[in-house]
Amino acid sequence: MAVRTSRRFVIEAPPEAIMDALADVEALLSDTPAYRRAEVLDRYDDGRPHRVRLAIRVLGRLDEEILEFRWGPDWLVWDAVRTKQQYAQHVEYRLRPDYTGTSTVVTVDVTVEPHTLIPDYFIKRAGKTVIDAANEGLRKRVLRANG
């Protein structure tokens, strides 16, 4: 059974700056201790990552994911191929300038289908920890880059 979680938050920067920060997948390692290793396997012609190998420790278990990224002007979607711990993972980032034009509303939707029967509570707790740390790391990287 798939587990879903969503977050919406505001970053005081334009969407382009946030998209640039999302493209820096190697920086995920500094966002949360759950991420152990990130390797860009190949890139699109514009330099953005296409496929990425990511090692992540969740619920005390190390898993290696191959993520396929798809990019739009104000969105990012990635899907993971099946791993030891999950059948599927789907993540969407959608960006929308706020009414002031100086900030961006970021919506993140994550769907994970675990490989084994793990109580929803543990999956949601682990997901919340990883997504909250990654989003806070994204915010810090964007604000640092935009002064």
Side-chain angles (χ1 to χ4, degrees), residues 1-4 82-83 85-90 111-116 123:
M1 175 194 285
V3 178
R4 293 175 179 83
R82 185 176 176 169
T83 70
Q85 293 188 47
Q86 63 188 8
Y87 285 115
Q89 177 190 112
H90 179 80
T111 304
V112 175
E113 188 172 347
H115 190 278
T116 58
I123 294 170

Side-chain angles (χ1 to χ4, degrees), residues 3-129:
V3 178
R4 293 175 179 83
T5 188
S6 294
R7 294 286 183 277
R8 180 173 289 158
F9 55 98
V10 175
I11 297 179
E12 298 75 21
E16 301 80 24
I18 297 167
M19 292 299 289
D20 288 344
L22 288 169
D24 185 7
V25 295
E26 291 90 349
L28 284 172
L29 301 175
S30 64
D31 290 347
T32 175
Y35 295 111
R36 303 301 172 129
R37 186 176 62 255
E39 174 190 3
V40 176
L41 301 174
D42 61 355
R43 295 179 181 274
Y44 289 102
D45 290 340
D46 66 0
R48 292 190 178 205
H50 174 226
R51 289 182 314 124
V52 173
R53 177 179 293 131
L54 186 69
I56 185 169
R57 182 173 297 281
V58 179
L59 296 174
R61 297 180 179 159
L62 187 63
D63 203 8
E64 188 168 284
E65 303 172 344
I66 303 290
L67 308 177
E68 181 178 354
F69 286 68
R70 291 178 305 287
W71 300 88
D74 58 359
W75 55 267
L76 162 64
V77 172
W78 78 66
D79 290 290
V81 299
R82 185 176 176 169
T83 70
K84 293 182 288 185
Q85 293 188 47
Q86 63 188 8
Y87 285 115
Q89 177 190 112
H90 179 80
V91 177
E92 296 180 14
Y93 278 83
R94 291 183 308 284
L95 311 180
R96 177 179 53 77
D98 75 351
Y99 68 94
T100 68
T102 60
S103 297
T104 302
V105 178
V106 180
T107 303
V108 183
D109 295 311
V110 178
T111 304
V112 175
E113 188 172 347
H115 190 278
T116 58
L117 292 176
I118 300 172
D120 283 355
Y121 168 78
F122 289 116
I123 294 170
K124 287 181 180 180
R125 188 179 80 193
K128 179 184 180 331
T129 299

